[in-house]
Amino acid sequence: MANTRVERVADQIKQIVARLIHNKLKDPRLGMVTVTDVRVTGDLQHASVFYTVLGSEEERVQSGKALESATGMIRSSVGKQLGLRLTPSIEFIPDALPDTAKTLEDLLAVARARDEEIRRRAEGATPVGEADPYRKPKGEDAATAAVAEDAEVQDEADEPETGESESTV
């Protein structure tokens, strides 16, 4: 079972950091930053803050540098607002979720394109061989042969086996 105190502290840190980034940080390098998740160790000594940045790769790098330079001020504010005996150290980590989502979207687009190509090829295609690939009896001769074959199988099942099963007295 998950530790509820750790989850509560992580949620509080997430809210505090998001407010600080939005309201207090005035660094011009800081772009559109969203705090996506916070993970805190069980002893509440370390907090990993995951974030995403809306924009280009250069904006992501610049926002990361701005967050790293403001880590001390953010940690100080978190410590004051949490009221814990020890303030957790804070580490900012760019979240891989948008990159993973982009990769999945690209893979789905490739799969859709392949499905469309297969559908286009199948439109005018005809089956190889006959339309119905299953064997069917032809006429009365085939029907009587099937009945005779079933009778032979039934006769073999009814006959007792010879050998050890018969006892002599």
Side-chain angles (χ1 to χ4, degrees):
M1 184 172 184
N3 189 346
T4 57
R5 181 169 189 238
V6 172
E7 291 172 359
R8 283 195 320 261
V9 169
D11 190 44
Q12 287 177 337
I13 292 173
K14 180 178 177 180
Q15 292 174 5
I16 293 168
V17 170
R19 271 196 312 263
L20 287 172
I21 290 172
H22 185 341
N23 298 331
K24 294 229 176 177
L25 288 183
K26 302 297 182 196
D27 195 328
R29 299 177 293 177
L30 198 62
M32 296 290 294
V33 176
T34 303
V35 177
T36 56
D37 192 21
V38 174
R39 294 189 186 147
V40 180
T41 58
D43 60 358
L44 303 177
Q45 293 295 310
H46 183 75
S48 299
V49 179
F50 293 88
Y51 67 95
T52 60
V53 179
L54 183 64
S56 67
E57 186 63 33
E58 178 62 27
E59 290 173 330
R60 290 182 191 141
V61 171
Q62 292 301 321
S63 294
K65 289 179 182 177
L67 288 172
E68 290 300 322
S69 68
T71 300
M73 188 273 298
I74 291 173
R75 181 173 185 237
S76 168
S77 295
V78 165
K80 288 176 187 174
Q81 293 182 34
L82 280 181
L84 296 175
R85 186 170 70 90
L86 296 172
T87 302
S89 63
I90 295 179
E91 172 187 24
F92 287 98
I93 302 171
D95 200 351
L97 185 65
D99 296 332
T100 305
K102 176 72 172 132
T103 303
L104 288 176
E105 287 175 7
D106 292 343
L107 291 173
L108 287 172
V110 168
R112 279 190 214 104
R114 287 182 184 167
D115 287 348
E116 182 62 27
E117 177 65 26
I118 290 170
R119 188 192 60 76
R120 275 196 310 254
R121 286 183 182 180
E123 273 181 7
T126 57
V128 177
E130 300 176 17
D132 188 8
Y134 300 104
R135 293 185 185 186
K136 294 182 181 173
K138 296 180 182 177
E140 291 181 18
D141 293 335
T144 56
V147 170
E149 185 178 319
D150 288 341
E152 288 177 16
V153 170
Q154 185 64 30
D155 289 340
E156 289 175 5
D158 291 340
E159 291 179 7
E161 293 183 22
T162 59
E164 296 178 16
S165 62
E166 295 179 20
S167 61
T168 56
V169 180

